[in-house]
Amino acid sequence: MRSRLGAAFIAILTAASACGGSAQVQARAFEMLTDTSGAYPVVTARGDPPQAALEQLGVVRPDAEVGFSRLRAIALDPRGGVWALDAKERTLQHFDDAGRLIGSRGRVGEGPGEFESPYAIAADRSGLLLWDPGLSRATRWTPDGELDASWLWFGMRATGSPVHWYLTSSGPRLFMPLGSPQQTHLAFFSMAVDGQRDTLYAPRPKRISLGETRTCDGAGGSTWFWPSPFQPEISSAPWRGAVAVTTGADYAIALVAPGGDTLRVLRRELPARPVTEADWDSASAEYRVQSDTLTLTNCRGEYRRVESFPSITDLATDSDGRLWVEAETVAGSVWDLWAGDSLVASMPAPARAAAWRGPRPSMLGDRMAVPVVDTAGGMDVVVYRMRGLPGMN
């Protein structure tokens, strides 16, 4: 059953877009459709969902002139403010929503409440959690700052994999991708603060080539390839006991059970955002320089020009059981908010640091914290209030 559903999942994610088209100025009637004729339901959002807006509350930085050196993780606090973890300075600081420093937790060391290589954090109503792979330890402080407890998790000392705490309805869980790119399935290790462990498996989607740079010698010799600067990457996040996985050019998210079976697919009919000549020239400049300077029997590079951006650029979840999808539209980047099988709102996505430069945004209640690169090359965190979310404001 897993192989059959995995193949169907791949087909959903790799199908050519059926919803491309030019930008629409007028609003389109919104509706949610569910197709149950296949092996699993396919939920489709059609038209323009209700719109929300962002109100900036403040900018967080450790110094008036200098941003964070190496911002590893951020986490909004339910009682207000945001926690920021600087891996280079090895500091964990608490700021209010306006950006004023409130306090800090922990210090460098190996004793209780101390850390060696702080990597991931999460805050909920029970307190603050910190994951330290250098000590194979998670530490929790109470909301008042008292050291509460710690857990030693041996066998998870390596820091090569991206490790994140995610808040779920049952409390915070550690979520870490496992496995190698050669495997046919994605694997994700999950652990709760009480030590409960689980492993989620998802079929590995087929990688979609949206374009490539090729340099050849024209005489049967070496051929070099570089991925397109608009190549979609696999993005994933745990959600409601499953894992949400997406890749490819289309807006399609597979929800996969711990056993690897596809539970359902969430889609949005979204006109593709075109890649302009200026976009392509700017993004492929590095490849073109490499092609012109590499000597492979005097053959110049060939470039497959792509027409559109990948529809989805990131996934995130929050403690209210919602799935956040960052998507590229003809009107610009947006964050879509899914509650269960319904797309309930969409809002403009603020500019932020690329995923490889900074941590994922943090969403909690009606607030959002976003990492950005400042003019000096450091990292700041911008805190927003989200207006117009269903059931909140």
Side-chain angles (χ1 to χ4, degrees):
M1 181 176 181
R2 179 182 299 176
S3 60
R4 177 170 62 88
L5 292 180
F9 163 53
I10 291 172
I12 286 286
L13 293 185
T14 60
S17 176
C19 57
S22 58
Q24 300 293 317
V25 176
Q26 69 275 17
R28 300 167 297 167
F30 181 68
E31 58 181 340
M32 298 293 306
L33 306 173
T34 302
D35 180 1
T36 59
S37 62
Y40 48 82
V42 177
V43 181
T44 300
R46 178 177 296 168
D48 295 321
Q51 297 298 299
L54 293 175
E55 171 193 352
Q56 182 172 317
L57 300 180
V59 177
V60 175
R61 52 171 42 188
D63 185 89
E65 302 296 332
V66 181
F68 295 95
S69 300
R70 189 182 301 160
L71 192 62
R72 175 69 73 185
I74 58 176
L76 287 165
D77 192 300
R79 303 202 308 176
V82 59
W83 291 92
L85 177 60
D86 191 319
K88 183 176 181 180
E89 304 298 332
R90 293 195 287 181
T91 58
L92 174 59
Q93 297 175 306
H94 190 199
F95 300 83
D96 66 16
D97 288 344
R100 294 180 290 264
L101 180 64
I102 299 175
S104 62
R105 296 281 168 86
R107 62 183 180 182
V108 178
E110 297 184 1
E114 299 176 337
F115 44 74
E116 177 183 300
S117 54
Y119 198 91
I121 54 175
D124 72 351
R125 291 173 180 81
S126 66
L128 176 71
L129 281 160
L130 181 144
W131 164 242
D132 183 349
L135 297 177
S136 298
R137 183 171 70 189
T139 299
R140 185 172 70 193
W141 292 270
T142 68
D144 296 327
E146 297 295 325
L147 182 62
D148 185 15
S150 62
W151 298 266
L152 288 176
W153 292 344
F154 296 105
M156 297 182 62
R157 192 177 181 85
T159 60
S161 299
V163 180
H164 299 280
W165 279 108
Y166 283 90
L167 296 176
T168 67
S169 58
S170 60
R173 294 187 70 90
L174 182 72
F175 185 79
M176 181 175 68
L178 302 173
S180 66
Q182 290 74 32
Q183 293 178 335
T184 59
H185 283 70
L186 302 171
F188 304 92
F189 176 84
S190 175
M191 179 180 283
V193 294
D194 61 1
Q196 180 184 355
R197 300 166 182 252
D198 195 7
T199 303
L200 306 179
Y201 294 96
R204 179 175 292 278
K206 180 180 179 181
R207 188 177 178 90
I208 308 300
S209 178
L210 286 189
E212 63 190 18
T213 300
R214 182 175 65 183
T215 303
C216 61
D217 65 6
S222 299
T223 302
W224 287 31
F225 291 90
W226 290 272
S228 162
F230 304 105
Q231 176 73 49
E233 298 292 338
I234 294 174
S235 187
S236 61
W239 191 36
R240 296 189 169 190
V243 58
V245 184
T246 186
T247 188
D250 291 348
Y251 192 131
I253 305 162
L255 303 183
V256 183
D261 293 335
T262 300
L263 301 175
R264 63 181 56 81
V265 169
L266 308 179
R267 297 180 64 252
R268 182 180 176 189
E269 293 188 356
L270 194 65
R273 177 185 170 191
V275 173
T276 66
E277 292 292 342
D279 290 332
W280 180 255
D281 288 344
S282 174
S284 63
E286 179 181 353
Y287 300 125
R288 288 185 280 110
V289 169
Q290 289 178 335
S291 173
D292 291 340
T293 56
L294 283 173
T295 302
L296 293 179
T297 320
N298 299 320
C299 179
R300 294 180 59 82
E302 299 177 7
Y303 306 95
R304 183 187 303 170
R305 171 76 158 77
V306 299
E307 299 301 324
S308 62
F309 285 85
S311 292
I312 295 180
T313 54
D314 201 1
L315 299 176
T317 56
D318 63 25
S319 59
D320 293 313
R322 304 174 301 187
L323 176 67
W324 294 84
V325 181
E326 189 178 36
E328 293 288 345
T329 75
V330 292
S333 184
V334 301
W335 278 104
D336 284 345
L337 176 58
W338 289 79
D341 288 347
S342 296
L343 176 58
V344 297
S346 184
M347 71 188 73
R352 66 181 178 106
W356 62 271
R357 279 292 308 273
R360 281 176 167 169
S362 177
M363 293 82 162
L364 184 65
D366 63 349
R367 292 181 296 146
M368 175 187 293
V370 179
V372 299
V373 178
D374 61 29
T375 55
M379 300 287 291
D380 298 336
V381 178
V382 183
V383 182
Y384 296 92
R385 179 85 64 193
M386 296 178 281
R387 299 295 188 186
L389 292 182
M392 289 192 178
N393 47 44

